[in-house]
């Protein structure tokens, strides 16, 4: 028997929800409701320097105005440090992590020397410089191995919307950071530990995060954790054609007109225009439409 559905919305409190982040919030809520499951909210405030004080309350208030109410008190990642440390210790005991002394600059120089630095890659593939030791450098970050026993981590999974996916994490990402040089926990580790701890069966989130999924499944396997199902939702694009974000002018959606904001999000999700007299009626109709599209 499959486990009872548990979904989540996991915003980083870097500002209010905008039209793009509302799409992920609505989709994750609809999917949980359409499965008769529970829906949790997790405030992902591990990256403290990027967090804006009070943004968590603003986000929770915006969700409430849209009728998107979590089934449990929201969890804050800033209070979960011990759990992340436990996971790191487990990886360490299994011999799967190592200290890295490379600065960003050193990684670029190593890639240039290897002749594999391509400017078009935003994220650099880590060439494994410190895998055999620090060679006198000071330890900075902690990385997890993506080649284990000589075998490259090639991860395949099926996204409910995007279909079959495959990533050779060793070649396309390299050994990645699980504990940052600035002492903060890396998103990849925190999200995997918390999804497992909260019993999340289904991750529904924006397509910009699809590329992280293979890294997360790799960590789930190394830590012996269940792998949830994934559904990555379409992005809302800004005027510059890139994903809507604060950098290209995303502003908070108009909380005075929640149904307008919800309908815009639903349209991005490919749902039809829904007529309703109230937010709760609108949501009930949206659950039906979502069920027909993604569950039935
Ligand atoms: N906190 C991440 C973000 O706001 C989302 C993480 C996730 O859904 O896995 O972009």
């Amino acid at each position: 028997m499959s486990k009872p559905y548990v979904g989540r919305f996991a915003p980083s409190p870097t500002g209010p929800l905008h039209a793009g982040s509302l799409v992920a919030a609505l989709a994750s809520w609809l999917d949980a409701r359409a499965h008769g499951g529970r829906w949790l909210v997790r405030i992902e405030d591990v990256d403290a320097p990027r967090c804006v004080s009070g943004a968590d309350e603003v986000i929770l208030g915006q969700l409430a105005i849209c009728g998107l109410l979590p089934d449990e008190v929201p969890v804050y990642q800033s209070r979960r440090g011990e759990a992340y440390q436990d996971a790191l210790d487990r990886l360490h005991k299994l011999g799967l992590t190592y200290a890295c002394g490379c600065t960003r600059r050193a990684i670029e120089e190593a890639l240039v020397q290897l002749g594999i630095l391509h400017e078009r890659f935003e994220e650099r593939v880590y060439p494994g410089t410190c895998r055999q030791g620090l060679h006198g450098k000071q330890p900075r970050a902690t990385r997890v191995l993506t080649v284990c026993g000589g075998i490259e981590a090639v991860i395949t999974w099926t996204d409910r919307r995007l279909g079959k996916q495959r990533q050779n994490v060793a070649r396309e990402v390299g050994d990645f950071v699980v504990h940052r040089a600035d002492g903060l926990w890396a998103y990849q580790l925190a999200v995997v530990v918390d999804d497992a701890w909260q019993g999340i069966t289904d991750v529904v989130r924006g397509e910009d995060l699809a590329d992280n999924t293979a890294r997360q499944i790799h960590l789930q396997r190394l830590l012996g954790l269940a792998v949830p199902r994934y559904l990555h939702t379409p992005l809302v694009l800004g005027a510059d054609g890139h994903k809507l974000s604060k950098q290209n002018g995303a502003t908070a959606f108009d909380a005075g007109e929640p149904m307008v904001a919800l309908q815009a999000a639903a349209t991005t999700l490919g749902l039809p225009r829904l007529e309703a007299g109230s937010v709760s009626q609108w949501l009930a109709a949206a659950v039906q439409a979502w069920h027909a599209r993604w569950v039935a």
Side-chain angles (χ1 to χ4, degrees):
M1 233 180 68
S2 60
K3 282 185 275 175
Y5 185 110
V6 186
R8 48 63 155 194
F9 175 54
S12 303
T14 54
L17 296 182
H18 51 70
S21 35
L22 184 62
V23 170
L26 176 64
S28 62
W29 185 89
L30 287 173
D31 201 48
R33 291 293 173 261
H35 281 90
R38 286 188 301 135
W39 184 70
L40 311 180
V41 172
R42 183 170 72 227
I43 303 292
E44 299 213 321
D45 56 351
V46 268
D47 194 351
R50 282 186 58 232
C51 294
V52 173
S53 150
D56 56 333
E57 294 297 333
V58 172
I59 291 170
L60 295 171
Q62 289 176 296
L63 291 172
I65 284 171
C66 291
L68 308 178
L69 300 172
D71 293 316
E72 284 174 22
V73 177
V75 165
Y76 283 70
Q77 288 193 321
S78 53
R79 297 175 199 157
R80 300 261 310 136
E82 265 180 47
Y84 310 144
Q85 185 66 55
D86 280 354
L88 186 67
D89 291 347
R90 269 166 61 204
L91 292 173
H92 184 69
K93 283 204 190 102
L94 292 166
L96 297 167
T97 59
Y98 61 87
C100 173
C102 298
T103 57
R104 195 176 287 262
R105 178 118 184 239
I107 295 172
E108 287 185 8
E109 282 169 6
L111 289 168
V112 169
Q113 272 190 7
L114 292 165
I116 50 174
L117 178 62
H118 302 290
E119 282 309 323
R120 65 196 169 84
F121 288 146
E122 268 178 39
E123 281 190 61
R124 311 275 187 244
V125 176
Y126 182 65
T129 319
C130 295
R131 213 182 271 164
Q132 314 303 344
L134 286 165
H135 302 292
K137 283 179 285 188
Q138 286 299 313
R140 291 168 52 83
T142 305
R143 292 180 184 271
V144 67
L145 289 171
T146 55
V147 182
C148 307
I151 298 170
E152 293 175 349
V154 177
I155 305 290
T156 54
W157 82 99
T158 304
D159 185 273
R160 287 169 57 200
R161 174 173 154 261
L162 302 171
K164 278 208 179 332
Q165 307 289 313
R166 179 182 192 276
Q167 188 179 58
N168 182 328
V169 186
R171 285 176 188 235
E172 294 173 50
V173 179
D175 299 342
F176 56 91
V177 171
V178 282
H179 192 233
R180 293 168 25 169
D182 56 11
L184 297 176
W185 296 103
Y187 157 64
Q188 310 294 354
L189 183 75
V191 81
V192 158
V193 169
D194 286 341
D195 281 340
W197 175 64
Q198 295 187 289
I200 303 299
T201 57
D202 288 77
V203 170
V204 178
R205 61 183 177 192
E207 196 177 324
D208 55 318
L209 293 164
D211 189 46
N212 293 275
T213 309
R215 268 169 276 180
Q216 292 170 14
I217 294 175
H218 178 59
L219 282 178
Q220 285 154 358
R221 292 200 179 144
L222 296 182
L223 289 163
L225 305 173
V227 177
R229 286 181 292 260
Y230 288 93
L231 190 166
H232 288 89
T233 58
L235 301 179
V236 177
L237 302 183
D240 58 359
H242 289 106
K243 180 197 114 158
L244 193 61
S245 68
K246 268 193 295 186
Q247 286 69 40
N248 61 14
T251 51
F253 64 82
D254 182 1
E257 299 267 21
M259 265 196 282
V260 172
L262 285 168
Q263 182 61 58
T267 302
T268 300
L269 290 166
L271 300 182
R273 175 153 290 281
L274 305 162
E275 302 300 334
S278 67
V279 166
S280 59
Q281 283 170 5
W282 187 93
L283 288 172
V287 172
Q288 298 286 318
W290 183 272
H291 191 278
R293 172 77 183 79
W294 292 107
V295 186

